[in-house]
Amino acid sequence: MTINFRNIIKPYPSPIITGRGVDLDFPMLVGCLALLGLGLVMITSASSEVAAVQSGNTLYMMIRHLVYMVIGLATCIVTMMIPIATWQRLGWLMLIGAFGLLVMVVVPGIGREVNGSMRWIGFGAFNVQPSEIAKVFVVIYLAGYLVRRQKEVRESWMGFFKPFIVLLPMAGLLLMEPDFGATVVMMGAAAAMLFLGGVGLFRFTLMVLLAVGAVTVLVQAQPYRMARLITFTDPWADQFGSGYQLTQALIAFGRGEWLGVGLGNSVQKQFYLPEAHTDFVFSVLAEELGVVGSLCTLALFVFVCVRAMYIGLWAEKAKQYFAAYVAYGLAFLWIGQFLINIGVNVGLLPTKGLTLPFLSYGGSSLVICCACLGLLLRIEWESRTHLGSEDMEFSESDFAEEPTHGR
């Protein structure tokens, strides 16, 4: 199979290149931009004390986060300009790239170790987290597989098990870092995609039981995972040891009450709550904005996740099945990270390092979230305009009339 890279960068019509100007799904765009803006505000507040000690500049983390935002929005624009058919054609190449990145990150001298985990590849002052890229590439590859092997997936055991020949080695590489959270999110999204792709209920139930068994074995295989599992049920039993992060997060929620202590007035961010600007930024948000602010943030997350699912539904109705599966997969990636991060913050799940989409500090996560937004906006536009194939020839007349949005 040959790849014509000239066709990849060819300026096909896109939601931002039409005869009638910008033609985007504005509800989705506004929802994600609101989360980005809120994230910038909370990172500025939650990281001020840490940044002052580490760099002497209270705005250091905010400036870096703003740079990541600019890169992310540029990535979103570029992603919107690439036809979905191109992503489908390059799915196998992305899968190979994902494996390559995950292998590189566990190679000594290439991967960077932070807090005991080898999850990053360093490029000067910036770190890239391959697991964030790999999750999206797996979604794109699996969407292509579900389209190519639709009948086989629905009717035979072999069509059901084939994806796991790819998924299980990738999960193994993620566990070598170790990144248990990313493994759970990736496998959960893949399982949801297979279910929506038509896998029978019996086979799906069997897959869920096997997954639960595998998680149980993995938890028991590492003492620190078992300690986390036991601790989160009663963090106050060892509040200055293994339960420290969770108890400090719960204190932040308690201090916030209904309306919060006020933006910038968090006490827990002052070296009481570890990773206040990354994994536990929602706890700082709850302390400063209270129950009302937390519920508004949750509502915003629910809106963008449900909107992403609807984008998949619209694509499926337009018979653009690859685009539909990609949209479903991206939505489940967001939903998985959202549920795990919030669950950890409020003490419903064991402590696990996983960023909150659009809100947490972290360049790789932020840029990939913006790329996913670009993909979703492109999918929505193609399904609405029925321009789902890059082989079609376009002219200005195709975009002369204002479409009926209806959404």
Side-chain angles (χ1 to χ4, degrees), residues 79-161:
T79 305
M80 277 191 287
M81 298 176 69
I82 302 175
I84 297 302
T86 300
W87 296 101
Q88 183 174 3
R89 192 171 65 251
L90 297 180
W92 64 274
L93 196 59
M94 293 180 183
L95 184 70
I96 294 173
F99 270 109
L101 288 171
L102 291 179
V103 169
M104 287 174 62
V105 79
V106 296
V107 175
I110 298 179
R112 280 188 178 179
E113 183 175 342
V114 179
N115 295 332
S117 298
M118 294 273 287
R119 301 179 186 175
W120 293 267
I121 297 176
F123 293 94
F126 298 95
N127 290 329
V128 175
Q129 192 169 357
S131 61
E132 296 289 341
I133 303 172
K135 287 184 293 186
V136 177
F137 284 4
V138 164
V139 165
I140 292 172
Y141 175 79
L142 187 56
Y145 174 82
L146 290 173
V147 171
R148 293 191 306 272
R149 306 286 184 177
Q150 188 175 64
K151 184 177 180 180
E152 189 178 353
V153 168
R154 293 180 177 182
E155 298 179 359
S156 73
W157 283 93
M158 185 57 66
F160 169 66
F161 280 117

Side-chain angles (χ1 to χ4, degrees), residues 3 14 73 95 112 124 144 185 235 270 394-395:
I3 303 297
S14 71
L73 292 174
L95 184 70
R112 280 188 178 179
V185 170
Q270 299 178 14
F394 300 104
S395 65

Side-chain angles (χ1 to χ4, degrees), residues 69-329:
M69 279 183 61
V70 172
I71 296 173
L73 292 174
T75 305
C76 177
I77 292 172
V78 171
T79 305
M80 277 191 287
M81 298 176 69
I82 302 175
I84 297 302
T86 300
W87 296 101
Q88 183 174 3
R89 192 171 65 251
L90 297 180
W92 64 274
L93 196 59
M94 293 180 183
L95 184 70
I96 294 173
F99 270 109
L101 288 171
L102 291 179
V103 169
M104 287 174 62
V105 79
V106 296
V107 175
I110 298 179
R112 280 188 178 179
E113 183 175 342
V114 179
N115 295 332
S117 298
M118 294 273 287
R119 301 179 186 175
W120 293 267
I121 297 176
F123 293 94
F126 298 95
N127 290 329
V128 175
Q129 192 169 357
S131 61
E132 296 289 341
I133 303 172
K135 287 184 293 186
V136 177
F137 284 4
V138 164
V139 165
I140 292 172
Y141 175 79
L142 187 56
Y145 174 82
L146 290 173
V147 171
R148 293 191 306 272
R149 306 286 184 177
Q150 188 175 64
K151 184 177 180 180
E152 189 178 353
V153 168
R154 293 180 177 182
E155 298 179 359
S156 73
W157 283 93
M158 185 57 66
F160 169 66
F161 280 117
K162 276 182 181 178
F164 292 97
I165 298 174
V166 171
L167 292 172
L168 292 178
M170 189 165 288
L173 288 171
L174 287 171
L175 291 173
M176 287 175 65
E177 297 182 5
D179 196 342
F180 189 68
T183 307
V184 171
V185 170
M186 183 190 73
M187 297 300 286
M193 290 175 69
L194 286 169
F195 181 73
L196 293 175
V199 170
L201 185 60
F202 175 73
R203 280 175 285 170
F204 181 77
T205 304
L206 177 62
M207 176 178 61
V208 171
L209 293 176
L210 290 174
V212 171
V215 169
T216 302
V217 171
L218 289 171
V219 168
Q220 293 179 344
Q222 294 292 338
Y224 77 92
R225 288 183 187 142
M226 182 58 71
R228 284 181 176 180
L229 186 62
I230 296 172
T231 300
F232 99 97
T233 58
D234 185 15
W236 303 102
D238 188 16
Q239 68 180 93
F240 297 110
S242 56
Y244 181 75
Q245 277 185 306
L246 181 53
T247 55
Q248 295 304 314
L250 294 176
I251 290 171
F253 278 93
R255 292 192 74 252
E257 298 185 348
W258 285 102
L259 298 177
V261 297
L263 192 61
N265 294 328
S266 168
V267 172
Q268 293 305 102
K269 70 181 181 182
Q270 299 178 14
F271 305 103
Y272 291 103
L273 180 60
E275 310 297 337
H277 60 295
T278 54
D279 302 338
F280 286 89
V281 68
F282 189 75
S283 297
V284 177
L285 184 149
E287 183 182 3
E288 296 189 349
L289 304 183
V291 171
V292 174
S294 300
L295 291 179
C296 289
T297 304
L298 292 178
L300 203 52
F301 272 113
V302 170
F303 171 77
V304 298
C305 290
V306 171
R307 188 76 179 183
M309 292 293 290
Y310 267 104
I311 288 173
L313 179 62
W314 295 329
E316 191 170 357
K317 287 182 176 179
K319 301 188 184 304
Q320 297 174 7
Y321 298 110
F322 171 79
Y325 291 136
V326 170
Y328 291 143

